[in-house]
Amino acid sequence: MLSEVVYSFSERMLRGRQGLGMLAADLLVINARIWTGNPVKPYAEAIAIKGELILAVGSKGEVDAFRGPDTQVLDAAGHLVLPGFNDNHTHFMLGGFRLLSLELRGCKSRDEFVHAIACRAGQVPKGSWITGGGWNNDQWQQPVMPAKEWIDGVTPNIPVYLTRSDLHIAFANNAALRLAGIDRNTVSPMGGVIEVDPDTGEPTGILKDTAMKLVEQCIPAPSKQQYDMALLAAMEHAGRLGITSVQDITAWRDWQDWEAFVRFRNQDKLTVRITARTQITEWEKQVKLLEEGFGNDIWLRAGGVKGFVDGSLGSGTALMCEPFTDMPLHSGLLADQMYPEGIMFERILAADKAGLPVSVHAIGDKANQLLLDIFAAVIQENGVRDRRFRIEHAQHLLPEDIGRMARLGVLASVQPAHVYEDGCWAGKRLGDKRCQTTYAFRSLLDAGVAVSFGTDWPVVPLNPFMGIYTAVTRQTQDGLHPNGWVPGQKLQISECLRAYTGGSAYAEFSEHIKGRLNPGMLADLIMVSQDVLAVYPEEIPQTRVLWTIAGGRLVYQE
């Protein structure tokens, strides 16, 4: 196990101290207000680091005993120091590619959307695609879905494929649909939708869930150099935001994401620790990775498998027990991984029997209910152990299923920044009653469910402080909820910090080496511009990371 590897290393260091006298630290951080994440010793003022591990945490006098002639000293000048953030859910390579492609998150109208695409069309080389995304029609002045006719005039021979912010809808122009062979006669695949114009029967350019793959398989695969550029961009972005670990949804593109991670690990170029979760449909490959030693590497780990039960609320494919309030004829879709009936149970049963951690995407209340049924059946079949089944997102829950999660020991892997955007319109889709247990962070914690935080980047920005702000205030982007959207689900700042550090470490079975600033644990820590535990909640988003240390190395400095 990973924790055993680090424990063995720290034991050797401690024996060295006993046999050779006090070890000299490589780095001291002094004059800091350190939030350790340890409830027994929550605060300190200095920290000593040797190699990748923490030697000591305490007062300046206590830690100064580890100063040697070559020890580097960082004076925090009273700033807050925190454990490095551990994002529980990223699409890390996709986020890196997004940083290098067309970003549409800032578009507020059809005109801005079309203008951004037209500008990019004048820049791309002949034969290239326009890819990117981040658009969200629910945030536009007129929240209608885009249609291919909007841009076909400015991209007649350039295929365009742009994902919506939730990654469950894509927009393709006529050139892209033509390459994919999609026309009025194409049938929507299982678990997906090809939207058509009700008057003409022609595809509009909107593809949902599995229908997206019809175009994605036509996009030329990036080169190794492009993968490396995207990974480098993603790591630099994470460093600026104080993220030292990510739990990634990996291997969406024929395992090339994983291969890029391995290249960087072999060259000692990783500055973010990556726990990679590969698709449950290929769970046997994850077993092979563990046999190759990727279960105990402190920088790159094979950390389990990931599945899907349904889609997303924004696309109308989240599976609900009752129809959507604003779409009374629809109640969502099961993901294609749920077919044929019973296959998800069989895959989870097999992966769990092989000892793999299992996490599954579930958005709608029916999807979460079905998934808990499957988890309960697997536990019954394979026996009770510390397996830490995870529900990714767990966004919309039946009240009775919150307690059931706690009883089954199922973890809630949530991404609070979704509230900031979804809270603007989710009430219209769900109605007031269902919203009371939507993004139910307070109810989950109070019920005894282990909660971890992340972002789902690039679905929402990678900035942890935006998620913390949203969980504390329940504010939405439209500013229409001054007391917060569903205010009964607010959390305290300290609870958010724990969820983003120790909570995420627990979710990946690494709580013995990550998530707290204790002697013998990994030296992953950050210094920030203001004390987020003391400022007014509305000031939290202005927090900047001044430096980030990962594995005892300074990987970012403002």
Side-chain angles (χ1 to χ4, degrees):
M1 294 293 291
L2 177 60
S3 59
E4 293 170 352
V5 173
V6 177
Y7 178 75
S8 175
F9 182 35
S10 60
E11 279 291 289
R12 291 199 303 271
M13 290 180 63
L14 290 173
R15 286 198 299 269
R17 283 177 56 186
Q18 294 165 356
L20 300 175
M22 191 70 73
L23 278 178
D26 295 324
L27 175 66
L28 298 184
V29 178
I30 62 173
N31 299 325
R33 173 172 160 79
I34 300 172
W35 184 83
T36 66
N38 180 356
V40 177
K41 187 178 181 180
Y43 291 99
E45 61 181 9
I47 189 166
I49 296 168
K50 180 70 174 179
E52 293 206 36
L53 300 179
I54 297 170
L55 273 178
V57 180
S59 68
K60 182 178 182 296
E62 291 168 334
V63 170
D64 203 55
F66 293 88
R67 187 194 296 256
D70 299 319
T71 300
Q72 181 185 2
V73 178
L74 281 177
D75 190 333
H79 283 100
L80 180 67
V81 170
L82 301 167
F85 290 120
N86 185 342
D87 192 308
N88 70 10
H89 189 117
T90 69
H91 307 273
F92 204 58
M93 288 298 301
L94 181 59
F97 278 111
R98 180 70 58 79
L99 293 171
L100 304 176
S101 60
L102 181 58
E103 176 57 62
L104 298 167
R105 185 175 297 278
C107 294
K108 301 301 180 186
S109 66
R110 166 179 170 170
D111 289 345
E112 291 182 9
F113 178 77
V114 172
H115 177 71
I117 297 170
C119 289
R120 180 56 65 97
Q123 300 168 355
V124 297
K126 185 177 180 181
S128 298
W129 284 60
I130 294 177
T131 59
W135 59 273
N136 187 343
N137 56 297
D138 287 313
Q139 297 175 359
W140 294 352
Q141 294 166 2
Q142 293 182 319
V144 296
M145 281 288 183
K148 65 182 191 296
E149 289 79 14
W150 291 9
I151 64 167
D152 281 343
V154 295
T155 58
N157 301 307
I158 304 173
V160 176
Y161 181 79
L162 303 164
T163 53
R164 191 178 184 269
S165 62
D166 61 6
L167 301 183
H168 287 267
I169 296 179
F171 170 64
N173 69 345
N174 195 53
L177 295 176
R178 191 166 56 244
L179 287 171
I182 297 174
D183 58 25
R184 62 183 301 137
N185 298 313
T186 306
V187 178
S188 293
M190 185 175 293
V193 175
I194 300 170
E195 284 205 349
V196 298
D197 186 296
D199 297 322
T200 67
E202 292 292 332
T204 65
I206 293 298
L207 308 169
K208 296 183 178 182
D209 289 298
T210 57
M212 298 162 63
K213 298 176 184 178
L214 301 176
V215 173
E216 287 175 354
Q217 63 191 8
C218 300
I219 301 173
S223 65
K224 286 185 178 179
Q225 182 182 15
Q226 290 171 317
Y227 268 97
D228 291 353
M229 290 172 59
L231 179 52
L232 184 61
M235 291 193 306
E236 290 176 347
H237 188 53
R240 285 193 295 270
L241 296 170
I243 296 166
T244 55
S245 292
V246 296
Q247 297 167 39
D248 191 50
I249 310 304
T250 303
W252 279 29
R253 302 181 185 88
D254 299 323
W255 289 76
Q256 291 184 68
D257 292 16
W258 172 258
E259 291 170 5
F261 297 159
V262 172
R263 279 197 301 277
F264 271 57
R265 178 60 182 129
N266 289 341
Q267 299 168 28
D268 195 29
K269 291 169 62 176
L270 287 177
T271 58
V272 178
R273 303 185 195 277
I274 300 173
T275 296
R277 289 174 290 166
T278 52
Q279 294 302 302
I280 197 167
T281 53
E282 300 178 295
W283 66 267
E284 297 94 338
K285 289 186 178 182
Q286 176 96 193
V287 174
K288 189 172 185 297
L289 293 179
L290 295 176
E291 292 171 349
E292 294 172 356
F294 282 107
N296 57 11
D297 188 284
I298 59 175
W299 283 97
L300 177 61
R301 296 174 56 211
V305 291
K306 161 82 184 316
F308 287 83
V309 175
D310 64 344
S312 74
L313 190 67
S315 65
T317 55
L319 187 67
M320 305 297 296
C321 293
E322 301 293 337
F324 297 116
T325 303
D326 61 345
M327 295 189 292
L329 298 180
H330 299 278
S331 55
L333 292 174
L334 279 173
D336 63 329
Q337 289 185 1
M338 296 291 286
Y339 296 102
E341 186 176 349
I343 189 65
M344 182 62 79
F345 167 75
E346 293 176 11
R347 286 171 173 158
I348 294 177
L349 183 72
D352 180 69
K353 189 170 292 185
L356 299 178
V358 175
S359 58
V360 183
H361 164 119
I363 300 289
D365 54 15
K366 184 64 174 179
N368 280 278
Q369 182 186 63
L370 289 174
L371 180 57
L372 288 172
D373 290 344
I374 293 173
F375 283 163
V378 170
I379 293 170
Q380 178 71 25
E381 181 77 16
N382 286 345
V384 175
R385 64 177 174 85
D386 183 15
R387 51 175 45 88
R388 302 186 197 179
F389 279 152
R390 292 169 54 162
I391 298 182
E392 300 299 312
H393 312 306
Q395 286 184 3
H396 315 292
L397 299 167
L398 297 173
E400 59 269 27
D401 281 337
I402 294 174
R404 190 153 69 120
M405 286 180 68
R407 291 192 297 275
L408 290 172
V410 174
L411 282 59
S413 171
V414 301
Q415 296 74 42
H418 282 302
V419 172
Y420 188 67
E421 296 182 0
D422 292 6
C424 300
W425 52 267
K428 298 176 184 176
R429 181 140 300 174
L430 297 176
D432 290 341
K433 182 178 179 180
R434 285 188 289 192
C435 284
Q436 299 310 304
T437 49
T438 284
Y439 301 100
F441 311 142
R442 168 54 58 202
S443 296
L444 287 164
L445 276 180
D446 288 351
V449 176
V451 173
S452 63
F453 273 8
T455 57
D456 203 7
W457 185 61
V459 174
V460 298
L462 191 59
N463 188 350
F465 292 107
M466 196 64 209
I468 292 171
Y469 163 75
T470 305
V472 169
T473 67
R474 302 286 293 199
Q475 289 299 304
T476 55
Q477 193 171 32
D478 55 16
L480 297 180
H481 305 277
N483 191 39
W485 181 61
V486 195
Q489 297 294 347
K490 291 179 182 179
L491 297 184
Q492 299 297 315
I493 295 175
S494 60
E495 293 172 319
C496 297
L497 290 177
R498 280 194 292 272
Y500 237 125
T501 54
S504 288
Y506 181 81
E508 62 168 354
F509 291 88
S510 63
E511 70 272 17
H512 302 299
I513 59 167
K514 290 183 187 178
R516 290 172 293 153
L517 300 179
N518 286 348
M521 299 185 77
L522 293 170
D524 299 344
L525 56 153
I526 65 174
M527 184 172 78
V528 297
S529 60
Q530 60 180 352
D531 187 345
V532 293
L533 290 153
V535 300
Y536 290 110
E538 58 267 24
E539 298 174 2
I540 296 173
Q542 283 71 57
T543 307
R544 306 185 325 277
V545 174
L546 302 181
W547 50 246
T548 299
I549 291 173
R553 293 179 292 174
L554 189 67
V555 299
Y556 169 75
Q557 187 168 17
E558 189 177 68

